[in-house]
Amino acid sequence: MFHIMKKFIQSALQRKYLEKRAVFIIMLVLVLLPLKLKGVYFYHCMIFTFYFAVLGTSWNIISGYSGAVSLGHAAFLSIGAYTSTILLINFQLTPWIGMLIGGSLSALSGLVICYPATKLKGPYFVMSTAAFAEILRYLTSQSKFAGGASGLIIPVVTGNSLYWFQFIEKWPFYYIILFFTIIVVFISYKIENSKVGLYLMAIRENRGAAQMLGVNVAKYLRMATCLSAFFTGIAGTFYAQYMVYISPDAIMGLGESIKIALVAIIGGMGTFIGPIIGAALYFGVGEIVRFLLGAEISGLSSFIYGIILIVFILLFPKGLVQFLKDMGGRFERYFIH
Amino acid sequence: MFFEIRNLSKNFGGLKAVNEVSFSVKKGEIVGIIGPNGSGKTTVFNLVTGFHTPDRGFVIFKDEVISNLRPDQICKRGIARTFQIPQPLPRLSVLKNVMVGAYSKTSEEGEARRKGLAVLEFLGLLGQKDVLAEKLRGATMRRLELARALATDPEILMIDEIAAGLNPTESAAIVKVIKQMREDTGLTILIIDHVLNVVLNVVDRLVVLHHGEMIIEGLPHEVIMDRKVTEVYLGEYHVGA
């Protein structure tokens, strides 16, 4: 009997089958979940969890895999959001096309910042990306065309409209952001298991050795930055359409970039599943704390939330995914072998 | 000429690290570059492989001047190297370390994996293919350096102090591997070491550097008997005595 159970557990722990089965089950649950659980608050939580999962996964493509940590992703987010919004307001262009234009402009700006930035290493690269985000926030807040510090309000149409990307209920937004999440995570998974992913990881581990093994460091960093910026820009359009309001304070600047980075760091940088788990933790814990302490002393929930994040990062410095992998390895060694 | 260094020079501030060094290498030769610490051996390697740009002079490989190319471009043209202090990709497995090199010549994952496994088998590292590179030590780490370089399918392999930190048994094993590589593949090898015993067992020709300048090149038994070489290694006192 014990022998049969051991064989079963060994088979279940075979990584490729475990991952594929787990992914399939999770996707099925997420698609069917709105049939069981309803309510505006439920949808809002899930939508923002997926939104952060898209942001974290996009960030991970450049910063997690290649180690070139960016604190400028709020810039890409806002370029996407403002581009589609300005095109919508001024030219009545559907946000679906505005999203692609916004994503492309984000990718282009990623390329521009990448050229000088990839000659910098370590903290200097981080600082240059942070400076880029802050400069863009300042310029936007001074720009009348972009609504200045007051931001822009998306014109609201009556009823549901696929063309205007506006819906009365939240479930269409749920499925749209779920779709985006699946796409971005799938692409991230493919990158991780490809030559591109291996090259990015080689750059992260040892740039000089990577070069000597034939890796064109600048080319692959530019490629990853553009892809990362594109998806972040797409998420920016989604945010604009969901919130129907954007402003420099809402989605720009260093604070927003840090949030995006935290999602991947908490879950596990350099793994495709880390940002998903990180998004669930980051947003989930924040909502729980706000729910429990929101009515107490003003700002207490944010304070407690910050403490929880710090403790979490101290306990799991490599992210939760790596911690679970290490525990899984020990479980395998102690109980199976 | 297959490979040639012509009047290669490099200064770091006021220090002449390499000064007017010239020599050539035939296809299939093993050439040793020796000299005391600080004589410019590794700087020559860095100049050839694109980590430094020469101030003067040229590096010519198969009739192409490669002096101003990037390291990855030089790798793709068929020159690979190991590092004096091993430079693993620490949090990647041994196999993945080698596959990075294999991908320089193919984009197919299956082919890169096959090449990687073949190289690991040749170097006796197949049993450790899933071990993280950071867990390797000593001779095994040196073998990984060699494996990664070989995986790029080079025409010239530049080996920098491969026996540093190894005991005599391990050094002998590595020298045997180098000889096997030349026999099996006809690889052209440049090898740096400041320990003569390691180099003399394997090279066809020697080049001796001192204070960044080439003082002699020739057959091993002629070079080591040369007075200038003896002075460099033992000092004028011992030569005069």
Side-chain angles (χ1 to χ4, degrees):
Chain A
M1 183 67 180
F2 174 75
H3 186 72
I4 294 169
M5 278 183 62
K6 185 177 167 182
K7 282 273 183 197
F8 176 76
I9 293 170
Q10 277 175 334
S11 157
L13 280 176
Q14 278 180 23
R15 187 157 290 149
K16 58 177 180 175
Y17 294 118
L18 186 67
E19 279 181 358
K20 282 184 180 169
R21 283 174 197 160
V23 165
F24 178 74
I25 290 169
I26 289 167
M27 274 177 52
L28 195 60
V29 166
L30 291 173
V31 167
L32 297 175
L33 201 58
L35 297 175
K36 201 72 186 157
L37 296 174
K38 297 189 191 298
V40 170
Y41 183 66
F42 156 73
Y43 279 120
H44 181 74
C45 287
M46 293 303 293
I47 285 166
F48 259 88
T49 300
F50 292 142
Y51 167 72
F52 278 113
V54 169
L55 291 178
T57 304
S58 304
W59 182 90
N60 196 44
I61 289 172
I62 176 66
S63 300
Y65 292 134
S66 79
V69 174
S70 160
L71 285 183
H73 267 56
F76 306 137
L77 182 71
S78 56
I79 288 171
Y82 271 88
T83 301
S84 62
T85 302
I86 287 169
L87 288 172
L88 171 64
I89 291 172
N90 292 286
F91 301 104
Q92 291 78 53
L93 184 67
T94 169
W96 295 103
I97 297 180
M99 174 190 296
L100 293 175
I101 297 172
S104 302
L105 280 178
S106 296
L108 190 61
S109 67
L111 196 63
V112 167
I113 187 71
C114 205
Y115 258 99
T118 48
K119 296 197 189 306
L120 306 170
K121 290 178 194 168
Y124 305 104
F125 179 83
V126 179
M127 282 160 51
S128 72
T129 57
F132 174 60
E134 278 301 305
I135 289 168
L136 192 66
R137 186 184 67 80
Y138 174 76
L139 291 174
T140 305
S141 66
Q142 302 297 309
S143 163
K144 281 186 187 162
F145 179 68
S150 307
L152 294 171
I153 297 173
I154 312 285
V156 175
V157 299
T158 318
N160 296 319
S161 171
L162 191 62
Y163 181 86
W164 295 116
F165 200 144
Q166 289 185 26
F167 310 98
I168 296 171
E169 286 147 21
K170 292 204 181 287
W171 66 262
F173 288 108
Y174 173 92
Y175 283 109
I176 290 169
I177 194 65
L178 174 61
F179 175 72
F180 287 161
T181 306
I182 291 169
I183 296 290
V184 174
V185 168
F186 176 74
I187 289 172
S188 175
Y189 173 79
K190 281 298 199 186
I191 289 173
E192 187 174 308
N193 292 284
S194 71
K195 172 182 171 180
V196 173
L198 189 57
Y199 270 17
L200 290 174
M201 287 186 260
I203 291 168
R204 180 189 68 204
E205 295 298 306
N206 189 321
R207 220 176 254 210
Q211 284 182 298
M212 204 53 241
L213 294 171
V215 180
N216 184 337
V217 171
K219 172 185 163 185
Y220 283 90
L221 286 180
R222 283 197 296 268
M223 191 191 296
T225 302
C226 284
L227 200 59
S228 175
F230 176 78
F231 288 123
T232 307
I234 298 276
T237 296
F238 176 86
Y239 177 91
Q241 294 307 122
Y242 179 66
M243 299 299 282
V244 294
Y245 168 68
I246 52 172
S247 72
D249 283 343
I251 57 166
M252 299 181 88
L254 187 57
E256 285 307 302
S257 291
I258 291 174
K259 277 188 206 173
I260 295 169
L262 266 179
V263 163
I265 291 169
I266 290 170
M269 285 169 64
T271 65
F272 81 94
I273 204 162
I276 305 170
I277 294 175
L281 283 171
Y282 177 81
F283 189 75
V285 169
E287 284 303 300
I288 289 168
V289 169
R290 199 178 0 260
F291 178 75
L292 292 173
L293 299 171
E296 304 291 337
I297 303 166
S298 172
L300 177 64
S301 63
S302 299
F303 176 74
I304 298 294
Y305 181 44
I307 299 282
I308 292 173
L309 282 179
I310 291 170
V311 169
F312 193 92
I313 289 172
L314 287 171
L315 284 176
F316 310 112
K318 293 181 186 174
L320 188 61
V321 168
Q322 191 57 48
F323 173 77
L324 290 174
K325 277 184 179 177
D326 291 342
M327 292 306 290
R330 283 182 206 166
F331 175 80
E332 262 186 277
R333 280 197 299 275
Y334 290 143
F335 295 106
I336 305 300
H337 298 292
Chain B
M1 184 53 67
F2 182 63
F3 176 81
E4 189 183 350
I5 291 176
R6 199 184 292 170
N7 302 120
L8 205 62
S9 301
K10 180 69 182 177
N11 296 343
F12 293 109
L15 173 68
K16 283 186 185 172
V18 172
N19 187 24
E20 301 289 323
V21 170
S22 299
F23 64 89
S24 56
V25 179
K26 292 188 200 132
K27 194 168 162 65
E29 258 195 315
I30 301 183
V31 174
I33 302 173
I34 62 172
N37 286 337
S39 55
K41 308 184 293 292
T42 297
T43 306
V44 166
F45 267 28
N46 288 341
L47 289 167
V48 169
T49 54
F51 283 95
H52 296 312
T53 308
D55 294 327
R56 290 187 310 284
F58 301 97
V59 179
I60 303 163
F61 176 51
K62 295 200 293 185
D63 299 323
E64 182 190 2
V65 174
I66 61 168
S67 321
N68 291 311
L69 295 181
R70 293 190 313 264
D72 59 284
Q73 292 172 312
I74 288 171
C75 169
K76 291 222 163 71
R77 278 160 173 73
I79 297 179
R81 72 171 291 181
T82 67
F83 292 90
Q84 188 176 9
I85 298 169
Q87 302 284 329
L89 307 172
R91 288 174 297 170
L92 299 185
S93 67
V94 165
L95 177 59
K96 290 215 162 142
N97 264 262
V98 177
M99 280 176 69
V100 176
Y103 270 129
S104 68
K105 294 286 161 60
T106 179
S107 292
E108 295 285 327
E109 200 242 335
E111 205 177 314
R113 176 172 280 268
R114 273 192 298 276
K115 177 78 187 176
L117 291 170
V119 166
L120 289 179
E121 190 176 11
F122 176 74
L123 282 161
L125 290 174
L126 200 56
Q128 291 167 290
K129 66 178 175 55
D130 296 321
V131 173
L132 293 182
E134 64 187 354
K135 300 232 186 287
L136 301 184
R137 293 290 178 265
T140 324
M141 182 68 85
R142 299 279 176 189
R143 283 177 187 258
L144 177 60
E145 284 276 297
L146 274 177
R148 280 193 331 196
L150 278 182
T152 65
D153 238 350
E155 292 186 63
I156 296 181
L157 178 59
M158 303 176 69
I159 304 175
D160 194 345
E161 308 248 11
I162 196 73
L166 302 185
N167 62 43
T169 309
E170 290 166 339
S171 298
I174 287 278
V175 165
K176 194 175 164 188
V177 165
I178 293 170
K179 282 182 182 170
Q180 195 71 42
M181 278 190 312
R182 204 260 289 264
E183 276 169 29
D184 288 357
T185 64
L187 200 52
T188 307
I189 299 174
L190 272 70
I191 178 163
I192 284 176
D193 220 291
H194 67 276
V195 177
L196 287 178
N197 284 342
V198 169
V199 174
L200 290 177
N201 278 323
V202 78
V203 301
D204 301 316
R205 215 155 37 90
L206 275 178
V207 170
V208 185
L209 300 185
H210 185 51
H211 290 320
E213 293 180 357
M214 191 178 81
I215 57 173
I216 192 171
E217 71 163 303
L219 297 174
H221 66 274
E222 291 172 359
V223 165
I224 60 167
M225 297 304 293
D226 188 271
R227 184 187 171 86
K228 282 184 281 189
V229 174
T230 319
E231 274 177 18
V232 158
Y233 275 92
L234 297 178
E236 286 185 18
Y237 175 79
H238 289 277
V239 170

